[in-house]
Amino acid sequence: MRISEQMRFQHLVPGYQELQARQLEVQRQIASGSRIHKPSDDVRGTALAQGYRAVAAELEQNLRNLDEGLAWTDTTFVGLDRSLQSIQRVRELAVQAGDGTLSANDHATMAAEVEQLLKGLVDAGNTTIRGQRLFSGARTDVPAFTATTDALGRILSVAYNGDASQRKNEVAPGETAVFGMLGSNETGGDFGVFRDTAAGVDLFQSLIDLRGFLETSNTAAISGTSLPALDDAVGHLTLGLAKLGGVQGRMQASTTANEDHLEVTSASLSKVADTDLASAATQAVALDTAYKAALAVGARVSQISLLDYIR
Amino acid sequence: MLTPQAILETGSRSLRTFQIALGTTSHNMTNVQTEGYTRQRVDLEASRPLPSVPGQLGTGVLPTQVQRSRVSSFDFVVRGELSQFGRWDLDREVLGQVESIFGAATQGSVGSALTAYWNGWNDVAAYPEDLGVRQALVERAATLGEAFRSSAARLDAQNASLNQSVSVDVDAANGYLNEIAQLNVAINRAEFGGNHANDLRDSRDVLLDKLSALADLNIVEQPNGMVDVDVGGQVLVTGPTASTLSAVLNVATGHMEVQLGGVPLAFTSGRFQGYSSAFAAFDATRASLDQHAAALISEVNTLHTTGFDLTGSAAGVFFTGTDAATLDVSAALKSNPALVGASASGAPGDNGIALQLAQMRNTKTIPQPPGTPTMTLNEAHAALVVSLGAQSRQAQELASVYGQGLQSAKDRRSAVSGVNMDEEVANLLSYQRAYEASARVVTVVDELMDRIINHMGHVGTA
């Protein structure tokens, strides 16, 4: 093939530009740490990375949801535990009061203590997290329970202001966990902590009744009515704690599963989208050598000519 | 019988001939880097012999013609490749810009804004009573609106700049067409009587090459040396007359069209065809973006308006607008995030609507054409980005393929038509030697004449 002068240079310059472009690309990959700069760099990789990123973002969000949910159940646990201790103390008082050797004065003192414990129980029912009432269902803006008192400040009745909506959130793609507990299930729901119409448990009423029996020194009623009711209450709260433990266990399992899934997803994403530094650095060196060689050849290509050999 | 005068004539004719040859060689050497230059060569021929008794007597050398070393079929191949390369090179550039609007996964793109937006609803679901997380959701939704609007605006800006580019190319094409017509006239005149208008033809070939990058041309050379140029049967140049193309904005499509006499021209390759396919990619991208925005607006609002805000009142719309260019968060929500309708029951702690809106990320809301499954918004947007990437990749690869084809076609043409310096130097030397030899002939004849004139008829004189 005949070679023209223009051909020699027409091949050189695009060659340099191609090498420079590839050098720039590798440098960019190393500097930014990301292998794909624009979708056309790797169409399949872009598609995969988009999918992984969406999954990872959702998993991270689910993990945040679980954290919030666990904080909610931890606070619920505190409320339940406080209530259980109160009820157990009330039960001790009821046992003492029921043996019939105490005076009416003693009973009056006990009644005053039951009154205090009752107030504490109402407070436990109004436990808050970040200012929101835990046991009000979705009516977190109002106290779950309000007490009606007589002129002496004694609690006559306790009303539930919440609804039947239990707190829930997404814990895995498309999966919702219910972690809120209702103060009362009188408006619906399968479990009420302080008042459960299905189980026939009403902690407040049991304490109000006991206080009444103590004030009248009605030891028969204390042993016959209050003690069984309080036993039921202890059982009911214990059941509540067990349920809460179950919910927390499931949420922790979800957390672990999400973390595992997130780790795998992040690893896959990294494999697709991140620069492999070792191979990129090797490539950069190889390109550098190629570029130097091309420049050297280019500089020599027009050095020799017939003109060198004639006078 | 050849007289010394006749031999002198032979020598001086030879001197003139090799001057012409040397002149042509130097013309070649000085035009070594001239775009489109075709090397020229002088055809030499023995001049008409004299009849004589022993046989015909030679009278030396004559240049018959100076002509270009050019093979027209190579031009045909180069122009075909130029045309294809022009089309794909333009698409590579334009699609590269379009895909950069969406990026691989960059911050601020619609894809990442969409994910942040869904997460915002999850945060609201965790604490529906909290004004702070509601405000964060509204901000994220506003960012999403901004991402949609700026993508749409950047697409529109690209479209406008491409329209501008069509006008510029049409102006350039008109310039080429006019020059070709003028060169037709000049070549026709110069070649009258069998001459070769080598350099004029080079200029015209360069223009035809440039025009081929714009459109797929049919070029027919007439016996009178003029070329006729047409595109798909629409005549652009005939003899001394050039048509004028016009770039006209098609109001219905918003794209610039290339028209001839009010009728849109159809191209099959060249930059002008590249514009058509780039415009088609714009339209498809813009339509998808609008579809995604419209689906987001209607799906979210439908659900949101069934909810209740923090005060227990029925919630209004969440998004305003109808498409990607107008999508935004309702102004009422921006000023008061308490109006976000997270609650399904009206109770402030209820997160029913927030939860459903967060889970919409996995709801297949984008209907695709029959035969393909419907997609979630994230999937549909990812599909849009991937499809742009694939188109851009295809344009890059085809531009590279046709670029290589073009280079090799140009090489083949240059192998015949290009100047090789060593070759020219060798020619220079051989013509120089021939010139010197001819000069020697003249000197010899001069000595012969000197002998006859000054030294003959002097027998016995001093």
Side-chain angles (χ1 to χ4, degrees):
Chain A
M1 187 182 195
R2 229 182 127 262
I3 303 296
S4 73
E5 299 302 314
Q6 289 193 359
M7 278 162 75
R8 296 185 185 180
F9 295 97
Q10 271 168 6
H11 283 274
L12 276 180
V13 176
Y16 293 156
Q17 281 169 350
E18 168 76 22
L19 280 170
Q20 282 177 350
R22 279 163 59 193
Q23 275 183 320
L24 188 70
E25 176 62 21
V26 172
Q27 282 163 5
R28 202 198 49 70
Q29 286 183 354
I30 292 172
S32 69
S34 112
R35 198 173 65 81
I36 304 173
H37 180 49
K38 50 188 194 310
S40 60
D41 290 345
D42 180 352
V43 176
R44 183 180 156 273
T46 305
L48 286 176
Q50 297 246 14
Y52 289 143
R53 266 194 205 95
V55 171
E58 194 175 2
L59 286 170
E60 279 165 9
Q61 181 64 45
N62 287 332
L63 283 170
R64 269 205 300 287
N65 293 347
L66 281 163
D67 276 352
E68 302 283 3
L70 282 167
W72 187 279
T73 54
D74 283 346
T75 314
T76 308
F77 176 84
V78 171
L80 275 176
D81 195 46
R82 248 177 79 192
S83 307
L84 181 59
Q85 282 170 20
S86 301
I87 295 295
Q88 273 165 343
R89 172 67 189 147
V90 171
R91 192 179 167 280
E92 278 170 30
L93 291 173
V95 170
Q96 284 175 30
D99 79 354
T101 60
L102 296 174
S103 67
N105 234 354
D106 293 333
H107 284 157
T109 312
M110 285 179 168
E113 187 175 351
V114 168
E115 176 67 24
Q116 286 311 310
L117 289 167
L118 178 56
K119 282 181 176 151
L121 201 60
V122 173
D123 285 347
N126 290 332
T127 305
T128 63
I129 178 166
R130 287 170 59 168
Q132 311 305 327
R133 272 71 168 198
L134 281 178
F135 294 111
S136 298
R139 302 286 324 180
T140 50
D141 54 333
V142 292
F145 297 102
T146 43
T148 313
T149 52
D150 63 8
L152 297 173
R154 296 186 315 159
I155 294 174
L156 298 178
S157 66
V158 175
Y160 179 60
N161 308 309
D163 60 15
S165 163
Q166 283 174 273
R167 193 80 156 195
K168 58 188 188 294
N169 207 346
E170 198 174 24
V171 293
E175 258 182 67
T176 310
V178 177
F179 54 83
M181 293 188 111
L182 297 174
S184 162
N185 64 356
E186 65 204 68
T187 58
D190 62 346
F191 187 83
V193 175
F194 298 90
R195 186 177 291 157
D196 192 320
T197 49
V201 174
D202 186 338
L203 304 189
F204 303 116
Q205 197 53 51
S206 300
L207 264 64
I208 292 168
D209 288 348
L210 174 62
R211 192 196 58 207
F213 299 148
L214 284 168
E215 282 167 347
T216 54
S217 291
N218 185 350
T219 50
I222 291 173
S223 317
T225 311
S226 288
L227 263 181
L230 288 168
D231 284 342
D232 283 353
V234 170
H236 186 69
L237 285 175
T238 311
L239 175 64
L241 281 170
K243 277 178 181 275
L244 193 62
V247 168
Q248 286 194 326
R250 279 200 298 281
M251 288 172 84
Q252 262 144 10
S254 290
T255 303
T256 312
N258 281 347
E259 278 168 353
D260 289 351
H261 192 180
L262 180 60
E263 196 181 314
V264 173
T265 308
S266 303
S268 306
L269 176 60
S270 169
K271 212 183 252 174
V272 174
D274 291 350
T275 307
D276 178 354
L277 276 181
S279 88
T282 315
Q283 225 182 331
V285 173
L287 281 172
D288 191 49
T289 313
Y291 187 51
K292 277 182 186 146
L295 284 177
V297 168
R300 295 187 68 83
V301 90
S302 56
Q303 271 182 2
I304 307 168
S305 142
L306 188 55
L307 288 166
D308 298 332
Y309 300 98
I310 58 174
R311 287 179 290 113
Chain B
M1 178 69 198
L2 217 51
T3 62
Q5 285 89 341
I7 300 171
L8 188 63
E9 179 55 31
T10 300
S12 70
R13 185 184 291 128
S14 168
L15 284 176
R16 285 198 303 276
T17 301
F18 287 110
Q19 272 173 13
I20 291 170
L22 283 166
T24 303
T25 302
S26 67
H27 187 52
N28 284 342
M29 289 170 85
T30 48
N31 279 301
V32 62
Q33 295 300 347
T34 305
E35 185 195 4
Y37 179 77
T38 308
R39 78 185 158 110
Q40 297 174 10
R41 60 169 197 272
V42 182
D43 288 345
L44 301 179
E45 192 184 80
S47 55
R48 188 181 297 270
L50 290 173
S52 177
V53 174
Q56 290 187 332
L57 289 170
T59 58
V61 66
L62 265 183
T64 51
Q65 57 179 359
V66 180
Q67 68 170 9
R68 305 192 302 164
S69 298
R70 194 147 184 130
V71 180
S72 61
S73 64
F74 289 169
D75 283 334
F76 180 78
V77 176
V78 167
R79 284 170 192 155
E81 296 286 338
L82 268 172
S83 202
Q84 290 290 355
F85 177 72
R87 181 233 158 122
W88 289 107
D89 189 47
L90 181 94
D91 281 358
R92 176 180 61 105
E93 192 185 321
V94 174
L95 290 171
Q97 286 165 356
V98 174
E99 68 166 332
S100 76
I101 293 177
F102 295 96
T106 45
Q107 290 296 313
S109 71
V110 172
S112 62
L114 207 48
T115 302
Y117 162 79
W118 301 128
N119 285 352
W121 276 114
N122 267 124
D123 286 339
V124 169
Y127 281 103
E129 311 86 353
D130 190 322
L131 276 180
V133 293
R134 284 165 174 261
Q135 184 66 48
L137 166 72
V138 171
E139 299 296 339
R140 287 178 182 193
T143 306
L144 177 61
E146 170 67 25
F148 265 110
R149 291 198 307 279
S150 73
S151 296
R154 286 167 71 186
L155 272 178
D156 292 347
Q158 290 272 357
N159 184 44
S161 104
L162 213 55
N163 278 342
Q164 190 70 32
S165 180
V166 173
S167 298
V168 170
D169 276 348
V170 164
D171 286 347
N174 283 332
Y176 300 151
L177 291 172
N178 266 325
E179 282 187 70
I180 289 168
Q182 283 166 19
L183 282 164
N184 270 346
V185 175
I187 288 166
N188 176 255
R189 237 177 245 152
E191 294 189 343
F192 187 76
N195 255 324
H196 293 284
N198 293 328
D199 296 322
L200 292 175
R201 279 176 174 271
D202 278 352
S203 303
R204 191 175 65 187
D205 282 334
V206 168
L207 290 171
L208 287 170
D209 281 1
K210 286 183 176 167
L211 199 58
S212 294
L214 294 175
D216 44 317
L217 306 177
N218 292 316
I219 301 167
V220 181
E221 181 164 349
Q222 303 298 332
N224 63 5
M226 298 192 179
V227 292
D228 290 349
V229 179
D230 73 86
V231 169
Q234 300 293 311
V235 176
L236 301 181
V237 176
T238 173
T241 322
S243 312
T244 305
L245 299 174
S246 46
V248 180
L249 185 70
N250 182 329
V251 182
T253 61
H255 305 314
M256 205 67 105
E257 277 178 356
V258 181
Q259 294 188 352
L260 179 65
V263 181
L265 283 178
F267 302 94
T268 57
S269 61
R271 280 173 70 85
F272 287 142
Q273 163 63 12
Y275 286 120
S276 303
S277 47
F279 283 139
F282 272 144
D283 287 345
T285 308
R286 188 62 211 275
S288 298
L289 210 55
D290 280 343
Q291 185 197 22
H292 301 170
L296 181 71
I297 294 165
S298 82
E299 296 285 328
V300 170
N301 283 348
T302 304
L303 200 50
H304 189 258
T305 46
T306 64
F308 297 90
D309 64 22
L310 206 47
T311 63
S313 314
V317 295
F318 188 84
F319 285 119
T320 55
T322 51
D323 57 16
T326 52
L327 173 68
D328 200 357
V329 183
S330 132
L333 293 182
K334 276 185 184 167
S335 53
N336 183 8
L339 298 180
V340 170
S343 171
S345 68
D350 187 273
N351 61 9
I353 298 294
L355 212 48
Q356 285 187 62
L357 281 168
Q359 287 170 342
M360 194 182 276
R361 76 166 92 208
N362 292 321
T363 313
K364 300 192 182 302
T365 48
I366 303 294
Q368 291 291 310
T372 49
T374 54
M375 293 181 169
T376 68
L377 267 168
N378 279 68
E379 285 167 353
H381 186 73
L384 169 66
V385 172
V386 167
S387 134
L388 269 177
Q391 286 178 60
S392 173
R393 182 86 203 169
Q394 188 203 20
Q396 283 170 22
E397 278 164 4
L398 284 172
S400 160
V401 166
Y402 284 114
Q404 283 163 16
L406 175 61
Q407 190 57 52
S408 88
K410 276 183 166 174
D411 282 353
R412 257 178 297 162
R413 184 167 75 174
S414 186
V416 173
S417 303
V419 176
N420 178 295
M421 205 49 109
D422 289 345
E423 184 181 275
E424 298 301 329
V425 171
N427 284 343
L428 190 72
L429 287 177
S430 82
Y431 292 146
Q432 187 190 4
R433 292 298 176 210
Y435 185 87
E436 283 170 9
S438 307
R440 181 56 56 95
V441 168
V442 172
T443 311
V444 167
V445 173
D446 180 47
E447 283 173 10
L448 287 180
M449 307 265 269
D450 179 55
R451 167 67 58 191
I452 293 166
I453 294 164
N454 296 322
H455 302 285
M456 278 175 82
H458 292 276
V459 177
T461 57

